[in-house]
Amino acid sequence: MLKSEKIYVAGHNGMVGSAIVRRLQSLGYDNIIVRSRRELDLTNQMAVREFLEQEKPSYIYLAAAKVGGIFANDTKRAEFLYENLMIEANVIHAAWQAGVNRLLFLGSSCIYPRDCPQPIKEDYLLTGPLESTNEPYAIAKIAGVKLCESYNAQYGTQYVSAMPTNLYGPNDNYDLTSSHVMPALIRKAHEAKNNGSVSLHVWGSGRPKREFLYVDDMAEACVFLMENDVKEGLFNIGVGEDVTIEELARTIMDVVGFSGEIIFDASKPDGTPRKLLNVDRMTSLGWKAKTDLRDGIALAYSKFLESHGH
Ligand code: GDP
């Protein structure tokens, strides 16, 4: 990849897109184009088509998506399905029309069946029913994977799909009704400490297990896939180990410096019991996550303090 080739990062204001831009810039790529949501509505087919026809980037990172935690996914089911289908159908189809041969499509580990064997291999896709709390989002992302595969098969494009495990880091969403567990618990532990509370509220039983990847590692993996000229396929991006939500809460409390008790809120859903990714495919290409969970939480917390004050 030449450092001067035009690269479009869709979703550059989000946690993943902004990390990809940081990674590309740090490697010296100097022709990165971005558009805010106000400048380009990716659910608008004509607007997307005109933009890509005009710009004709050599590479696209498709990190734009409607995303959220278990509560948002479960309650805004229509938007999660509709907006994600529109964004990916518009961008992938218009990319092909504009002659863009290289694209990286980003999804999430929730595309895999709820009860599939752990750790989850890429081959388990479409082998069983999905977790219901995020089924609309997962269906949209599976459609995106299939769009990439289909354009590759029919038209010879090189559209690759990367499915990260739960991500966290700078520019995460700390809104408690729409966030994922990591930012939610960082914020709750921070506020509990500041308010002199005696307890931290954790949704569900605390027993589900989740795997967490620092977003800068994810961005590194995405650029790695592009730079290594991977032609097609689905790639799990994770760390290869998971923790229970209770263990996560205790580590966050420790990093934040809050030492109250945990109260589990059984009125909130647990979601899928476990979704640990098998990362052999990436390991065999030579990529491995670097950031340890505790270090990553400390980095995320310091960014949270910068952006959300004290
Ligand atoms: P999921 O991985 O799609 O289930 O999404 P989340 O990251 O939102 O939730 C992961 C797990 O953490 C679920 O079992 C949640 O019930 C649990 N959890 C515990 N406390 C919280 C919280 O304050 N917010 C969120 N979003 N999840 C929480």
Side-chain angles (χ1 to χ4, degrees), residues 66-195:
K66 177 158 184 73
V67 297
I70 191 165
F71 183 74
N73 266 278
D74 200 18
T75 52
K76 299 259 174 0
R77 302 178 76 87
E79 283 86 354
F80 272 82
L81 182 55
Y82 171 75
E83 287 181 32
N84 285 308
L85 282 173
M86 293 298 284
I87 292 169
E88 66 207 27
N90 289 344
V91 174
I92 293 168
H93 184 69
W96 166 71
Q97 282 180 316
V100 181
N101 213 38
R102 304 289 309 277
L103 180 146
L104 186 79
F105 171 65
L106 303 182
S108 135
S109 59
C110 70
I111 61 166
Y112 295 111
R114 175 189 159 94
D115 294 318
C116 65
Q118 309 278 324
I120 305 169
K121 291 186 180 163
E122 289 88 348
D123 300 339
Y124 299 163
L125 187 67
L126 293 172
T127 55
L130 298 163
E131 154 64 26
S132 74
T133 51
N134 52 32
E135 189 192 81
Y137 175 84
I139 294 274
K141 288 295 177 179
I142 293 170
V145 171
K146 292 294 162 187
L147 278 167
C148 291
E149 268 179 35
S150 304
Y151 282 79
N152 292 347
Q154 200 177 333
Y155 298 116
T157 49
Q158 295 185 30
Y159 297 169
V160 172
S161 297
M163 298 298 128
T165 188
N166 299 43
L167 299 170
Y168 68 101
N171 296 326
D172 208 342
N173 167 21
Y174 285 90
D175 173 277
L176 293 180
T177 55
S178 59
S179 64
H180 281 101
V181 60
M182 176 73 86
L185 294 185
I186 288 176
R187 177 171 171 178
K188 287 188 200 175
H190 173 75
E191 290 178 354
K193 180 178 81 169
N194 279 3
N195 300 337

Side-chain angles (χ1 to χ4, degrees), residues 230-276:
V230 172
K231 297 209 172 3
E232 60 180 338
L234 176 58
F235 293 86
N236 288 343
I237 321 281
V239 296
E241 53 188 60
D242 55 6
V243 293
T244 66
I245 296 300
E246 178 170 355
E247 285 163 344
L248 174 73
R250 295 205 184 281
T251 309
I252 290 174
M253 284 165 63
D254 212 35
V255 170
V256 169
F258 171 69
S259 52
E261 60 164 337
I262 295 180
I263 295 177
F264 293 102
D265 177 357
S267 72
K268 294 287 195 304
D270 269 346
T272 193
R274 198 176 182 202
K275 46 178 172 180
L276 176 64

Side-chain angles (χ1 to χ4, degrees), residues 1-8 24 27-33 55-59 227:
M1 276 175 83
L2 295 173
K3 303 287 182 196
S4 59
E5 275 183 298
K6 193 184 276 186
I7 303 172
Y8 170 45
L24 289 168
L27 292 170
Y29 291 98
D30 59 8
N31 194 2
I32 303 166
I33 55 168
E55 293 291 343
K56 295 195 184 301
S58 301
Y59 301 88
E227 285 188 330

